[in-house]
Amino acid sequence: MTYDSFFNKQHFDLKDKTILITGANSGLGFELMLHLLRFDARIVMACRSLKRAIEAKDRALSIFKNAKIEMIEYDQASFASIDEASKVIKNYDLFALVANAGIYYPKKDYKTQDDLELTIGTNYIGLDRLLYNLKDDLKRQNTRVILVTSLVARFSKMHEFEMIESLSRNRRYALSKLYINGLYHELIEEGLDCRLCHPGVCSTNIISNKDSGLPHIISRLGHRFLTIFTHKASKAALSEFLAVIINDYDQTQMIVPRGLFAISGYPCLKKIPLKYCRTDLHRKLQEYLKEKEKSNVRSQ
């Protein structure tokens, strides 16, 4: 679908503006990249697998032959990779950074490269490290920072970091997105041009990739159900697109699908729920990481 009616209602100029997308090789990140390339943006793909990034770049170039696309290696489940990528990203003058990368329901007991629970370690802790690494540069460049939360954050309760591993994998995912909402408010207090959005519900490879811990039959049925009853990833990515292009963004609002229960539909602005307004998470995270590092040293 081309979504001409949606695009024609917007007022923006993306020509030669540099936009970095984490997790741009598939799903929402790839669909967002196609939307942005349609309007001559310059894309930096920050992806864990350069092989899959090259394949995605080739698919994009088959549609937009003159597209400007660069790639950097970036694994949000590795502090070392995040720190190396941060050094590279500092060389770009970014119009926007879209924090799209994330995982859902990994295999049981999988950990990050730094021995953290994988879902929250990737979706929130790795993202926090990236954005605090880049904070001063993003502020100086007035980069638009787009954080991608989820509908399920609304149903999560806030838990301390020490409680993470006692939660089910579904609850960890919801909590990771609630943490992202807190990160959004912290970055606003730091003076960043931060935007919050969620894509609703759609079918992407987040539930069907090889690293998923879901049983194969559940993964297949879930993918088919979402394909039939929810909107396409290309439409879901319009929430991220609007977050990139909107001027004079009201930071008390977030961008969500306009349909019933914000499950699907074209994006619109809605008031951010009060439960999302946490601004002490980064400090508590650093304390948690220090204690965990001390514990690991003692156990060696």
Side-chain angles (χ1 to χ4, degrees):
M1 296 181 68
T2 59
Y3 306 111
D4 288 338
S5 61
F6 169 79
F7 292 125
N8 290 338
K9 293 177 182 177
Q10 315 305 322
H11 301 282
F12 59 93
D13 177 14
L14 294 175
K15 185 174 177 58
D16 293 328
K17 289 183 169 62
T18 302
I19 300 168
L20 184 143
I21 308 171
T22 65
N25 60 284
S26 64
L28 291 174
F30 181 75
E31 296 296 340
L32 173 63
M33 177 169 70
L34 295 183
H35 292 328
L36 296 169
L37 289 174
R38 175 177 177 177
F39 299 99
D40 299 320
R42 177 190 180 205
I43 301 298
V44 181
M45 303 174 66
C47 303
R48 181 177 59 173
S49 168
L50 286 182
K51 178 178 180 294
R52 290 198 291 271
I54 291 170
E55 293 170 351
K57 177 182 177 181
D58 289 343
R59 293 201 307 273
L61 288 172
S62 71
I63 302 170
F64 302 103
K65 300 189 184 306
N66 298 317
K68 302 179 183 71
I69 305 173
E70 298 181 31
M71 296 170 294
I72 62 172
E73 191 169 5
Y74 171 74
D75 182 354
Q76 205 162 282
S78 164
F79 287 167
S81 177
I82 293 166
D83 292 346
E84 283 301 309
S86 297
K87 295 174 186 175
V88 177
I89 294 170
K90 286 174 182 283
N91 294 319
Y92 289 100
D93 182 7
L94 293 179
F95 176 74
L97 185 158
V98 184
N100 169 82
I103 61 169
Y104 168 71
Y105 213 90
K107 293 178 181 178
K108 191 174 182 180
D109 300 326
Y110 269 36
K111 301 283 188 177
T112 71
Q113 295 296 316
D114 306 280
D115 196 37
L116 300 169
E117 189 283 321
L118 188 57
T119 302
I120 291 173
T122 302
N123 294 357
Y124 167 67
I125 298 176
L127 177 58
D128 177 275
R129 190 177 184 98
L130 173 72
L131 295 179
Y132 272 87
N133 280 353
L134 300 174
K135 174 172 64 70
D136 293 338
D137 297 88
L138 297 173
K139 185 175 179 179
R140 175 176 52 80
Q141 296 173 1
N142 200 31
T143 301
R144 301 177 178 190
V145 179
I146 289 78
L147 298 187
V148 184
T149 183
S150 169
L151 187 61
V152 299
R154 179 168 290 212
F155 307 108
S156 178
K157 293 181 179 179
M158 187 62 73
H159 294 276
E160 299 300 326
F161 295 110
E162 290 78 10
M163 297 292 296
I164 289 171
E165 299 198 28
S166 68
L167 303 175
S168 69
R169 279 174 280 180
N170 276 323
R171 291 175 70 189
R172 291 173 190 175
Y173 178 76
L175 179 59
S176 74
K177 295 299 184 176
L178 186 56
Y179 283 154
I180 286 174
N181 297 327
L183 177 59
Y184 167 77
H185 287 91
E186 290 181 317
L187 294 176
I188 288 174
E189 287 205 341
E190 294 283 355
L192 273 69
D193 181 358
C194 206
R195 291 107 187 275
L196 187 66
C197 68
H198 82 64
V201 182
C202 67
S203 178
T204 70
N205 69 335
I206 197 168
I207 66 168
S208 58
N209 65 64
K210 64 181 180 62
D211 297 320
S212 173
L214 290 169
H216 182 64
I217 185 64
I218 298 298
S219 177
R220 288 189 62 186
L221 289 173
H223 182 77
R224 181 166 296 183
F225 176 86
L226 293 175
T227 300
I228 295 172
F229 293 104
T230 64
H231 60 183
K232 296 180 181 297
S234 58
K235 192 170 189 178
L238 294 177
S239 290
E240 297 180 353
F241 182 89
L242 185 59
V244 169
I245 66 166
I246 195 168
N247 296 314
D248 301 319
Y249 178 76
D250 180 352
Q251 292 181 320
T252 67
Q253 295 187 309
M254 62 189 297
I255 299 170
V256 304
R258 67 174 69 249
L260 185 65
F261 304 123
I263 291 174
S264 61
Y266 285 100
C268 67
L269 287 160
K270 290 285 181 69
K271 197 77 172 175
I272 296 177
L274 287 176
K275 71 176 290 186
Y276 292 175
C277 301
R278 287 287 298 271
T279 56
D280 58 346
L281 287 173
H282 179 73
R283 175 185 59 80
K284 289 188 174 182
L285 173 60
Q286 302 316 303
E287 293 172 355
Y288 168 74
L289 293 175
K290 285 179 182 178
E291 286 301 315
K292 192 165 183 62
E293 185 176 1
K294 288 179 184 177
S295 177
N296 289 341
V297 170
R298 286 194 296 265
S299 65
Q300 291 175 358

PDB file of all heavy atoms in Angstrom, residues 125-157:
ATOM      1  N   ILE A 125      17.541  -1.715  28.906  1.00  0.00           N
ATOM      2  CA  ILE A 125      18.863  -1.400  29.462  1.00  0.00           C
ATOM      3  C   ILE A 125      19.852  -1.025  28.354  1.00  0.00           C
ATOM      4  O   ILE A 125      20.589  -0.037  28.469  1.00  0.00           O
ATOM      5  CB  ILE A 125      19.395  -2.566  30.313  1.00  0.00           C
ATOM      6  CG1 ILE A 125      18.453  -2.813  31.509  1.00  0.00           C
ATOM      7  CG2 ILE A 125      20.808  -2.265  30.814  1.00  0.00           C
ATOM      8  CD1 ILE A 125      18.832  -4.007  32.378  1.00  0.00           C
ATOM      9  N   GLY A 126      19.861  -1.790  27.268  1.00  0.00           N
ATOM     10  CA  GLY A 126      20.742  -1.461  26.150  1.00  0.00           C
ATOM     11  C   GLY A 126      20.395  -0.123  25.522  1.00  0.00           C
ATOM     12  O   GLY A 126      21.276   0.659  25.152  1.00  0.00           O
ATOM     13  N   LEU A 127      19.097   0.148  25.406  1.00  0.00           N
ATOM     14  CA  LEU A 127      18.648   1.419  24.837  1.00  0.00           C
ATOM     15  C   LEU A 127      19.045   2.586  25.739  1.00  0.00           C
ATOM     16  O   LEU A 127      19.496   3.638  25.255  1.00  0.00           O
ATOM     17  CB  LEU A 127      17.137   1.390  24.643  1.00  0.00           C
ATOM     18  CG  LEU A 127      16.487   2.669  24.123  1.00  0.00           C
ATOM     19  CD1 LEU A 127      17.080   3.080  22.783  1.00  0.00           C
ATOM     20  CD2 LEU A 127      14.975   2.485  24.013  1.00  0.00           C
ATOM     21  N   ASP A 128      18.865   2.424  27.033  1.00  0.00           N
ATOM     22  CA  ASP A 128      19.277   3.459  27.985  1.00  0.00           C
ATOM     23  C   ASP A 128      20.771   3.763  27.819  1.00  0.00           C
ATOM     24  O   ASP A 128      21.170   4.933  27.803  1.00  0.00           O
ATOM     25  CB  ASP A 128      18.983   2.980  29.411  1.00  0.00           C
ATOM     26  CG  ASP A 128      19.455   3.960  30.482  1.00  0.00           C
ATOM     27  OD1 ASP A 128      20.644   3.906  30.869  1.00  0.00           O
ATOM     28  OD2 ASP A 128      18.630   4.772  30.930  1.00  0.00           O
ATOM     29  N   ARG A 129      21.584   2.733  27.679  1.00  0.00           N
ATOM     30  CA  ARG A 129      23.023   2.951  27.527  1.00  0.00           C
ATOM     31  C   ARG A 129      23.330   3.723  26.243  1.00  0.00           C
ATOM     32  O   ARG A 129      24.128   4.658  26.241  1.00  0.00           O
ATOM     33  CB  ARG A 129      23.761   1.613  27.523  1.00  0.00           C
ATOM     34  CG  ARG A 129      25.299   1.777  27.610  1.00  0.00           C
ATOM     35  CD  ARG A 129      25.965   0.426  27.688  1.00  0.00           C
ATOM     36  NE  ARG A 129      27.399   0.521  27.866  1.00  0.00           N
ATOM     37  CZ  ARG A 129      28.033   0.418  29.034  1.00  0.00           C
ATOM     38  NH1 ARG A 129      27.332   0.244  30.148  1.00  0.00           N
ATOM     39  NH2 ARG A 129      29.351   0.490  29.100  1.00  0.00           N
ATOM     40  N   LEU A 130      22.688   3.328  25.132  1.00  0.00           N
ATOM     41  CA  LEU A 130      22.911   4.015  23.862  1.00  0.00           C
ATOM     42  C   LEU A 130      22.576   5.497  23.970  1.00  0.00           C
ATOM     43  O   LEU A 130      23.377   6.362  23.589  1.00  0.00           O
ATOM     44  CB  LEU A 130      22.063   3.380  22.757  1.00  0.00           C
ATOM     45  CG  LEU A 130      22.099   4.123  21.415  1.00  0.00           C
ATOM     46  CD1 LEU A 130      23.447   3.939  20.731  1.00  0.00           C
ATOM     47  CD2 LEU A 130      20.960   3.648  20.509  1.00  0.00           C
ATOM     48  N   LEU A 131      21.402   5.804  24.489  1.00  0.00           N
ATOM     49  CA  LEU A 131      20.935   7.186  24.486  1.00  0.00           C
ATOM     50  C   LEU A 131      21.679   8.062  25.492  1.00  0.00           C
ATOM     51  O   LEU A 131      21.895   9.248  25.232  1.00  0.00           O
ATOM     52  CB  LEU A 131      19.427   7.234  24.723  1.00  0.00           C
ATOM     53  CG  LEU A 131      18.599   6.584  23.599  1.00  0.00           C
ATOM     54  CD1 LEU A 131      17.116   6.653  23.909  1.00  0.00           C
ATOM     55  CD2 LEU A 131      18.891   7.219  22.246  1.00  0.00           C
ATOM     56  N   TYR A 132      22.106   7.490  26.603  1.00  0.00           N
ATOM     57  CA  TYR A 132      22.924   8.270  27.527  1.00  0.00           C
ATOM     58  C   TYR A 132      24.355   8.428  27.007  1.00  0.00           C
ATOM     59  O   TYR A 132      25.006   9.445  27.288  1.00  0.00           O
ATOM     60  CB  TYR A 132      22.884   7.675  28.939  1.00  0.00           C
ATOM     61  CG  TYR A 132      21.720   8.220  29.730  1.00  0.00           C
ATOM     62  CD1 TYR A 132      20.470   7.627  29.668  1.00  0.00           C
ATOM     63  CD2 TYR A 132      21.854   9.370  30.498  1.00  0.00           C
ATOM     64  CE1 TYR A 132      19.382   8.145  30.364  1.00  0.00           C
ATOM     65  CE2 TYR A 132      20.772   9.902  31.206  1.00  0.00           C
ATOM     66  CZ  TYR A 132      19.548   9.289  31.135  1.00  0.00           C
ATOM     67  OH  TYR A 132      18.473   9.824  31.818  1.00  0.00           O
ATOM     68  N   ASN A 133      24.844   7.460  26.220  1.00  0.00           N
ATOM     69  CA  ASN A 133      26.125   7.651  25.524  1.00  0.00           C
ATOM     70  C   ASN A 133      26.065   8.850  24.577  1.00  0.00           C
ATOM     71  O   ASN A 133      27.029   9.606  24.443  1.00  0.00           O
ATOM     72  CB  ASN A 133      26.476   6.412  24.697  1.00  0.00           C
ATOM     73  CG  ASN A 133      27.083   5.277  25.510  1.00  0.00           C
ATOM     74  OD1 ASN A 133      27.381   5.440  26.690  1.00  0.00           O
ATOM     75  ND2 ASN A 133      27.242   4.131  24.891  1.00  0.00           N
ATOM     76  N   LEU A 134      24.921   8.989  23.904  1.00  0.00           N
ATOM     77  CA  LEU A 134      24.775   9.985  22.831  1.00  0.00           C
ATOM     78  C   LEU A 134      24.089  11.268  23.291  1.00  0.00           C
ATOM     79  O   LEU A 134      23.945  12.207  22.495  1.00  0.00           O
ATOM     80  CB  LEU A 134      23.958   9.380  21.681  1.00  0.00           C
ATOM     81  CG  LEU A 134      24.521   8.141  20.999  1.00  0.00           C
ATOM     82  CD1 LEU A 134      23.525   7.600  19.987  1.00  0.00           C
ATOM     83  CD2 LEU A 134      25.850   8.454  20.307  1.00  0.00           C
ATOM     84  N   LYS A 135      23.675  11.310  24.541  1.00  0.00           N
ATOM     85  CA  LYS A 135      22.788  12.366  25.039  1.00  0.00           C
ATOM     86  C   LYS A 135      23.257  13.771  24.657  1.00  0.00           C
ATOM     87  O   LYS A 135      22.477  14.585  24.135  1.00  0.00           O
ATOM     88  CB  LYS A 135      22.645  12.242  26.557  1.00  0.00           C
ATOM     89  CG  LYS A 135      21.857  13.353  27.236  1.00  0.00           C
ATOM     90  CD  LYS A 135      21.625  13.021  28.682  1.00  0.00           C
ATOM     91  CE  LYS A 135      22.920  12.931  29.466  1.00  0.00           C
ATOM     92  NZ  LYS A 135      23.589  14.251  29.663  1.00  0.00           N
ATOM     93  N   ASP A 136      24.491  14.089  24.920  1.00  0.00           N
ATOM     94  CA  ASP A 136      24.976  15.452  24.680  1.00  0.00           C
ATOM     95  C   ASP A 136      24.983  15.782  23.189  1.00  0.00           C
ATOM     96  O   ASP A 136      24.644  16.902  22.791  1.00  0.00           O
ATOM     97  CB  ASP A 136      26.379  15.629  25.267  1.00  0.00           C
ATOM     98  CG  ASP A 136      26.367  15.563  26.793  1.00  0.00           C
ATOM     99  OD1 ASP A 136      25.301  15.791  27.391  1.00  0.00           O
ATOM    100  OD2 ASP A 136      27.427  15.263  27.379  1.00  0.00           O
ATOM    101  N   ASP A 137      25.356  14.809  22.347  1.00  0.00           N
ATOM    102  CA  ASP A 137      25.365  15.036  20.898  1.00  0.00           C
ATOM    103  C   ASP A 137      23.954  15.200  20.356  1.00  0.00           C
ATOM    104  O   ASP A 137      23.697  16.063  19.506  1.00  0.00           O
ATOM    105  CB  ASP A 137      26.065  13.868  20.194  1.00  0.00           C
ATOM    106  CG  ASP A 137      27.517  13.734  20.594  1.00  0.00           C
ATOM    107  OD1 ASP A 137      27.803  13.054  21.592  1.00  0.00           O
ATOM    108  OD2 ASP A 137      28.375  14.331  19.918  1.00  0.00           O
ATOM    109  N   LEU A 138      23.041  14.371  20.846  1.00  0.00           N
ATOM    110  CA  LEU A 138      21.653  14.466  20.385  1.00  0.00           C
ATOM    111  C   LEU A 138      21.032  15.795  20.776  1.00  0.00           C
ATOM    112  O   LEU A 138      20.276  16.398  20.006  1.00  0.00           O
ATOM    113  CB  LEU A 138      20.835  13.311  20.976  1.00  0.00           C
ATOM    114  CG  LEU A 138      21.254  11.895  20.551  1.00  0.00           C
ATOM    115  CD1 LEU A 138      20.472  10.859  21.351  1.00  0.00           C
ATOM    116  CD2 LEU A 138      21.056  11.691  19.056  1.00  0.00           C
ATOM    117  N   LYS A 139      21.377  16.267  21.963  1.00  0.00           N
ATOM    118  CA  LYS A 139      20.864  17.558  22.416  1.00  0.00           C
ATOM    119  C   LYS A 139      21.455  18.697  21.589  1.00  0.00           C
ATOM    120  O   LYS A 139      20.741  19.619  21.161  1.00  0.00           O
ATOM    121  CB  LYS A 139      21.188  17.749  23.897  1.00  0.00           C
ATOM    122  CG  LYS A 139      20.597  19.013  24.506  1.00  0.00           C
ATOM    123  CD  LYS A 139      20.869  19.070  26.004  1.00  0.00           C
ATOM    124  CE  LYS A 139      20.296  20.337  26.627  1.00  0.00           C
ATOM    125  NZ  LYS A 139      20.546  20.388  28.097  1.00  0.00           N
ATOM    126  N   ARG A 140      22.753  18.637  21.339  1.00  0.00           N
ATOM    127  CA  ARG A 140      23.426  19.697  20.579  1.00  0.00           C
ATOM    128  C   ARG A 140      22.885  19.776  19.147  1.00  0.00           C
ATOM    129  O   ARG A 140      22.702  20.869  18.604  1.00  0.00           O
ATOM    130  CB  ARG A 140      24.936  19.436  20.558  1.00  0.00           C
ATOM    131  CG  ARG A 140      25.747  20.397  19.692  1.00  0.00           C
ATOM    132  CD  ARG A 140      27.235  20.116  19.819  1.00  0.00           C
ATOM    133  NE  ARG A 140      27.545  18.721  19.592  1.00  0.00           N
ATOM    134  CZ  ARG A 140      27.655  18.167  18.378  1.00  0.00           C
ATOM    135  NH1 ARG A 140      27.461  18.901  17.298  1.00  0.00           N
ATOM    136  NH2 ARG A 140      27.965  16.889  18.257  1.00  0.00           N
ATOM    137  N   GLN A 141      22.611  18.621  18.549  1.00  0.00           N
ATOM    138  CA  GLN A 141      22.121  18.586  17.171  1.00  0.00           C
ATOM    139  C   GLN A 141      20.605  18.769  17.080  1.00  0.00           C
ATOM    140  O   GLN A 141      20.063  18.852  15.982  1.00  0.00           O
ATOM    141  CB  GLN A 141      22.494  17.246  16.522  1.00  0.00           C
ATOM    142  CG  GLN A 141      23.988  17.015  16.372  1.00  0.00           C
ATOM    143  CD  GLN A 141      24.313  15.616  15.885  1.00  0.00           C
ATOM    144  OE1 GLN A 141      23.425  14.802  15.625  1.00  0.00           O
ATOM    145  NE2 GLN A 141      25.601  15.321  15.756  1.00  0.00           N
ATOM    146  N   ASN A 142      19.943  18.829  18.229  1.00  0.00           N
ATOM    147  CA  ASN A 142      18.483  18.884  18.280  1.00  0.00           C
ATOM    148  C   ASN A 142      17.862  17.719  17.507  1.00  0.00           C
ATOM    149  O   ASN A 142      16.863  17.863  16.794  1.00  0.00           O
ATOM    150  CB  ASN A 142      17.962  20.222  17.727  1.00  0.00           C
ATOM    151  CG  ASN A 142      16.542  20.508  18.195  1.00  0.00           C
ATOM    152  OD1 ASN A 142      16.130  20.098  19.286  1.00  0.00           O
ATOM    153  ND2 ASN A 142      15.776  21.192  17.372  1.00  0.00           N
ATOM    154  N   THR A 143      18.482  16.551  17.671  1.00  0.00           N
ATOM    155  CA  THR A 143      18.000  15.337  17.013  1.00  0.00           C
ATOM    156  C   THR A 143      16.653  14.917  17.590  1.00  0.00           C
ATOM    157  O   THR A 143      16.448  14.946  18.807  1.00  0.00           O
ATOM    158  CB  THR A 143      19.014  14.190  17.213  1.00  0.00           C
ATOM    159  OG1 THR A 143      20.273  14.585  16.659  1.00  0.00           O
ATOM    160  CG2 THR A 143      18.546  12.911  16.539  1.00  0.00           C
ATOM    161  N   ARG A 144      15.767  14.512  16.721  1.00  0.00           N
ATOM    162  CA  ARG A 144      14.477  13.985  17.153  1.00  0.00           C
ATOM    163  C   ARG A 144      14.673  12.515  17.554  1.00  0.00           C
ATOM    164  O   ARG A 144      15.049  11.691  16.716  1.00  0.00           O
ATOM    165  CB  ARG A 144      13.453  14.107  16.030  1.00  0.00           C
ATOM    166  CG  ARG A 144      13.253  15.544  15.594  1.00  0.00           C
ATOM    167  CD  ARG A 144      12.299  15.694  14.428  1.00  0.00           C
ATOM    168  NE  ARG A 144      12.121  17.102  14.102  1.00  0.00           N
ATOM    169  CZ  ARG A 144      11.203  17.567  13.249  1.00  0.00           C
ATOM    170  NH1 ARG A 144      10.375  16.723  12.622  1.00  0.00           N
ATOM    171  NH2 ARG A 144      11.104  18.870  13.021  1.00  0.00           N
ATOM    172  N   VAL A 145      14.422  12.206  18.816  1.00  0.00           N
ATOM    173  CA  VAL A 145      14.628  10.854  19.329  1.00  0.00           C
ATOM    174  C   VAL A 145      13.261  10.191  19.489  1.00  0.00           C
ATOM    175  O   VAL A 145      12.435  10.639  20.289  1.00  0.00           O
ATOM    176  CB  VAL A 145      15.371  10.881  20.677  1.00  0.00           C
ATOM    177  CG1 VAL A 145      15.563   9.457  21.210  1.00  0.00           C
ATOM    178  CG2 VAL A 145      16.716  11.581  20.525  1.00  0.00           C
ATOM    179  N   ILE A 146      13.046   9.124  18.727  1.00  0.00           N
ATOM    180  CA  ILE A 146      11.750   8.451  18.745  1.00  0.00           C
ATOM    181  C   ILE A 146      11.869   7.155  19.529  1.00  0.00           C
ATOM    182  O   ILE A 146      12.651   6.264  19.169  1.00  0.00           O
ATOM    183  CB  ILE A 146      11.247   8.162  17.309  1.00  0.00           C
ATOM    184  CG1 ILE A 146      10.836   9.464  16.611  1.00  0.00           C
ATOM    185  CG2 ILE A 146      10.062   7.212  17.336  1.00  0.00           C
ATOM    186  CD1 ILE A 146      11.949  10.309  16.086  1.00  0.00           C
ATOM    187  N   LEU A 147      11.112   7.064  20.615  1.00  0.00           N
ATOM    188  CA  LEU A 147      11.071   5.854  21.429  1.00  0.00           C
ATOM    189  C   LEU A 147       9.795   5.089  21.100  1.00  0.00           C
ATOM    190  O   LEU A 147       8.705   5.673  21.053  1.00  0.00           O
ATOM    191  CB  LEU A 147      11.107   6.194  22.913  1.00  0.00           C
ATOM    192  CG  LEU A 147      12.354   6.923  23.424  1.00  0.00           C
ATOM    193  CD1 LEU A 147      12.318   7.031  24.951  1.00  0.00           C
ATOM    194  CD2 LEU A 147      13.624   6.222  22.980  1.00  0.00           C
ATOM    195  N   VAL A 148       9.955   3.788  20.911  1.00  0.00           N
ATOM    196  CA  VAL A 148       8.823   2.949  20.505  1.00  0.00           C
ATOM    197  C   VAL A 148       8.402   2.086  21.685  1.00  0.00           C
ATOM    198  O   VAL A 148       9.108   1.177  22.099  1.00  0.00           O
ATOM    199  CB  VAL A 148       9.195   2.055  19.307  1.00  0.00           C
ATOM    200  CG1 VAL A 148       7.981   1.253  18.844  1.00  0.00           C
ATOM    201  CG2 VAL A 148       9.730   2.920  18.156  1.00  0.00           C
ATOM    202  N   THR A 149       7.251   2.398  22.241  1.00  0.00           N
ATOM    203  CA  THR A 149       6.711   1.636  23.351  1.00  0.00           C
ATOM    204  C   THR A 149       5.691   0.633  22.810  1.00  0.00           C
ATOM    205  O   THR A 149       5.714   0.278  21.633  1.00  0.00           O
ATOM    206  CB  THR A 149       6.119   2.580  24.421  1.00  0.00           C
ATOM    207  OG1 THR A 149       5.656   1.808  25.525  1.00  0.00           O
ATOM    208  CG2 THR A 149       4.985   3.430  23.875  1.00  0.00           C
ATOM    209  N   SER A 150       4.799   0.179  23.651  1.00  0.00           N
ATOM    210  CA  SER A 150       3.822  -0.834  23.238  1.00  0.00           C
ATOM    211  C   SER A 150       2.513  -0.630  23.975  1.00  0.00           C
ATOM    212  O   SER A 150       2.481  -0.093  25.092  1.00  0.00           O
ATOM    213  CB  SER A 150       4.366  -2.235  23.534  1.00  0.00           C
ATOM    214  OG  SER A 150       3.364  -3.224  23.377  1.00  0.00           O
ATOM    215  N   LEU A 151       1.458  -1.110  23.369  1.00  0.00           N
ATOM    216  CA  LEU A 151       0.134  -1.085  23.984  1.00  0.00           C
ATOM    217  C   LEU A 151       0.143  -1.818  25.330  1.00  0.00           C
ATOM    218  O   LEU A 151      -0.559  -1.427  26.269  1.00  0.00           O
ATOM    219  CB  LEU A 151      -0.865  -1.745  23.030  1.00  0.00           C
ATOM    220  CG  LEU A 151      -2.348  -1.699  23.362  1.00  0.00           C
ATOM    221  CD1 LEU A 151      -2.851  -0.265  23.427  1.00  0.00           C
ATOM    222  CD2 LEU A 151      -3.134  -2.484  22.311  1.00  0.00           C
ATOM    223  N   VAL A 152       0.958  -2.861  25.457  1.00  0.00           N
ATOM    224  CA  VAL A 152       0.936  -3.678  26.677  1.00  0.00           C
ATOM    225  C   VAL A 152       1.562  -2.962  27.871  1.00  0.00           C
ATOM    226  O   VAL A 152       1.365  -3.397  29.013  1.00  0.00           O
ATOM    227  CB  VAL A 152       1.653  -5.032  26.458  1.00  0.00           C
ATOM    228  CG1 VAL A 152       0.961  -5.834  25.372  1.00  0.00           C
ATOM    229  CG2 VAL A 152       3.134  -4.846  26.142  1.00  0.00           C
ATOM    230  N   ALA A 153       2.295  -1.877  27.636  1.00  0.00           N
ATOM    231  CA  ALA A 153       2.873  -1.130  28.763  1.00  0.00           C
ATOM    232  C   ALA A 153       1.793  -0.642  29.712  1.00  0.00           C
ATOM    233  O   ALA A 153       2.006  -0.554  30.921  1.00  0.00           O
ATOM    234  CB  ALA A 153       3.692   0.047  28.246  1.00  0.00           C
ATOM    235  N   ARG A 154       0.638  -0.346  29.168  1.00  0.00           N
ATOM    236  CA  ARG A 154      -0.470   0.169  29.988  1.00  0.00           C
ATOM    237  C   ARG A 154      -0.924  -0.857  31.021  1.00  0.00           C
ATOM    238  O   ARG A 154      -1.458  -0.501  32.065  1.00  0.00           O
ATOM    239  CB  ARG A 154      -1.639   0.564  29.083  1.00  0.00           C
ATOM    240  CG  ARG A 154      -2.843   1.089  29.829  1.00  0.00           C
ATOM    241  CD  ARG A 154      -3.855   1.724  28.897  1.00  0.00           C
ATOM    242  NE  ARG A 154      -3.370   2.965  28.339  1.00  0.00           N
ATOM    243  CZ  ARG A 154      -4.160   4.001  28.034  1.00  0.00           C
ATOM    244  NH1 ARG A 154      -5.444   3.934  28.275  1.00  0.00           N
ATOM    245  NH2 ARG A 154      -3.655   5.080  27.503  1.00  0.00           N
ATOM    246  N   PHE A 155      -0.691  -2.135  30.751  1.00  0.00           N
ATOM    247  CA  PHE A 155      -1.170  -3.192  31.646  1.00  0.00           C
ATOM    248  C   PHE A 155      -0.066  -3.714  32.570  1.00  0.00           C
ATOM    249  O   PHE A 155      -0.279  -4.667  33.311  1.00  0.00           O
ATOM    250  CB  PHE A 155      -1.743  -4.349  30.815  1.00  0.00           C
ATOM    251  CG  PHE A 155      -2.781  -3.900  29.830  1.00  0.00           C
ATOM    252  CD1 PHE A 155      -2.506  -3.877  28.466  1.00  0.00           C
ATOM    253  CD2 PHE A 155      -4.021  -3.456  30.257  1.00  0.00           C
ATOM    254  CE1 PHE A 155      -3.453  -3.445  27.554  1.00  0.00           C
ATOM    255  CE2 PHE A 155      -4.975  -3.020  29.350  1.00  0.00           C
ATOM    256  CZ  PHE A 155      -4.687  -3.017  27.998  1.00  0.00           C
ATOM    257  N   SER A 156       1.088  -3.092  32.509  1.00  0.00           N
ATOM    258  CA  SER A 156       2.201  -3.527  33.342  1.00  0.00           C
ATOM    259  C   SER A 156       2.252  -2.736  34.644  1.00  0.00           C
ATOM    260  O   SER A 156       1.894  -1.561  34.682  1.00  0.00           O
ATOM    261  CB  SER A 156       3.526  -3.351  32.593  1.00  0.00           C
ATOM    262  OG  SER A 156       4.627  -3.721  33.396  1.00  0.00           O
ATOM    263  N   LYS A 157       2.728  -3.397  35.685  1.00  0.00           N
ATOM    264  CA  LYS A 157       3.025  -2.723  36.947  1.00  0.00           C
ATOM    265  C   LYS A 157       4.519  -2.452  37.011  1.00  0.00           C
ATOM    266  O   LYS A 157       5.322  -3.225  36.490  1.00  0.00           O
ATOM    267  CB  LYS A 157       2.600  -3.584  38.136  1.00  0.00           C
ATOM    268  CG  LYS A 157       1.092  -3.771  38.254  1.00  0.00           C
ATOM    269  CD  LYS A 157       0.760  -4.620  39.485  1.00  0.00           C
ATOM    270  CE  LYS A 157      -0.746  -4.793  39.617  1.00  0.00           C
ATOM    271  NZ  LYS A 157      -1.097  -5.634  40.796  1.00  0.00           N
TER     272      LYS A 157
END
